[in-house]
Amino acid sequence: MFKRLKKDIAAVFERDPAAKNILEVILCYPGFHAIVLHRMAHFLYKKGLVVLPRLISNFSRLVTGIEIHPGATIGEGVFIDHGMGVVIGETTEIGNNVTIYQGVTLGGTGKEKGKRHPTVGNNVVVGTGAKVLGPIEIGDGGRIGAGSVVLQSVPPGATVVGIPGRVVLHRGKRVTPVDLNHEDLPDPVAQMLNCLQNQIDDLRLQLENLRCYQEEGEEERSDQVV
C-alpha cells in the first residue's frame, strides 16, 4: 500500500509543476484523495462487500468531485489533475502512468452486462472533457484530445481528436510516456480543409494555364487568317 502511495505522490510531482511539497499533495490534491479512497473501496469490493465500498465512493465524490466506481481497476502512478467531473465506470481498467484531466468520462454506452467500460493502457493522456465510451481499448501511449468523444478502439501510440474521435497515427515517431501538451494535438478536420484548399488552388492554376493556352491559340489563328 505504501509503495503505491509513493508512486501516486511521485506521479503528482512528475506531471504537475505547481506541486511544491509532499504535505501539499497529501492535503490539497483531490485527484490524489480520490485515488487513495478508491484503493480502499476497491479492496473491500474485491472482498465481496457492496454497500461499504459504495459509501466510500460516494464520500469521495462528495469531497473531491470525482466519481470512481469501486469495481474499477486502476494501476500505479495514475494522476487525476484537478479532477472535477471525472467519472470512471465499474468495469473500467486503467494501466500505469495514466494522466486524466478534469471532466473526463470513462463510461458505458448502454445497459448491457459484463465488460461495458473502456480499457486504458499504460502512459495514456486523456484530455479535458474527453468522453471514452464502451468496452473499447486505448493502446499504450495513446493521447485523447480535449473534448473528444471516442467510441472505437485506439491503436498504441495514436492520437485521437474530434467528435466522433478520429485517429491520427504516429508511426515511426516516438511518443513520450507522459506528454502534457494535449492542447497542441493535430486537427484532422482542419488538415482536410487545408488539403481541399490546396486542390482548389491547383485546379485554379490549371484553368488559368488552359485559358492562356486557348488565348494564344486564337491569336495564332488570327495571325494566319490575316
Side-chain angles (χ1 to χ4, degrees):
M1 180 180 68
F2 290 106
K3 182 180 178 182
R4 278 196 165 187
L5 283 175
K6 288 182 179 179
K7 289 187 177 182
D8 292 335
I9 293 173
V12 176
F13 283 107
E14 179 186 356
R15 281 164 260 175
D16 187 359
K20 299 300 188 295
N21 55 62
I22 293 178
L23 185 61
E24 179 193 15
V25 172
I26 294 176
L27 297 179
C28 303
Y29 274 71
F32 175 75
H33 300 158
I35 292 293
V36 172
L37 290 171
H38 169 73
R39 298 205 191 286
M40 297 170 53
H42 184 69
F43 174 80
L44 297 173
Y45 187 85
K46 296 295 287 185
K47 294 295 183 180
L49 300 177
V50 177
V51 178
L52 182 57
R54 291 305 300 270
L55 287 174
I56 296 174
S57 174
N58 286 342
F59 173 76
S60 176
R61 180 180 63 178
L62 179 65
V63 173
T64 66
I66 300 169
E67 181 175 348
I68 308 176
H69 193 282
T73 302
I74 297 180
E76 299 177 345
V78 173
F79 176 48
I80 302 177
D81 192 12
H82 296 290
M84 180 62 68
V86 168
V87 177
I88 299 176
E90 179 185 10
T91 60
T92 300
E93 299 176 40
I94 300 176
N96 301 323
N97 302 318
V98 173
T99 303
I100 299 173
Y101 289 87
Q102 63 270 22
V104 167
T105 298
L106 304 178
T109 56
K111 297 181 180 180
E112 64 276 6
K113 300 292 184 179
K115 176 66 173 172
R116 59 190 185 278
H117 298 102
T119 297
V120 180
N122 302 319
N123 306 315
V124 173
V125 177
V126 187
T128 302
K131 313 301 177 186
V132 184
L133 307 176
I136 62 178
E137 295 185 5
I138 308 300
D140 294 347
R143 301 169 67 196
I144 310 300
S148 300
V149 178
V150 184
L151 303 174
Q152 297 181 350
S153 294
V154 177
T159 298
V160 174
V161 295
I163 303 175
R166 300 174 178 86
V167 176
V168 180
L169 298 179
H170 288 270
R171 298 301 184 186
K173 184 178 179 181
R174 182 175 180 274
V175 179
T176 55
V178 179
D179 189 346
L180 302 184
N181 296 323
H182 57 281
E183 72 276 5
D184 295 330
L185 296 175
D187 186 348
V189 176
Q191 290 177 348
M192 182 58 67
L193 291 175
N194 289 333
C195 181
L196 291 174
Q197 183 62 50
N198 292 334
Q199 292 180 0
I200 291 173
D201 292 339
D202 290 340
L203 290 173
R204 184 181 293 112
L205 181 60
Q206 292 178 21
L207 287 174
E208 290 293 336
N209 292 336
L210 180 60
R211 185 179 297 110
C212 292
Y213 177 78
Q214 290 176 343
E215 291 177 353
E216 291 176 357
E218 291 177 357
E219 290 179 357
E220 291 179 358
R221 287 194 294 271
S222 299
D223 293 339
Q224 292 175 358
V225 171
V226 174

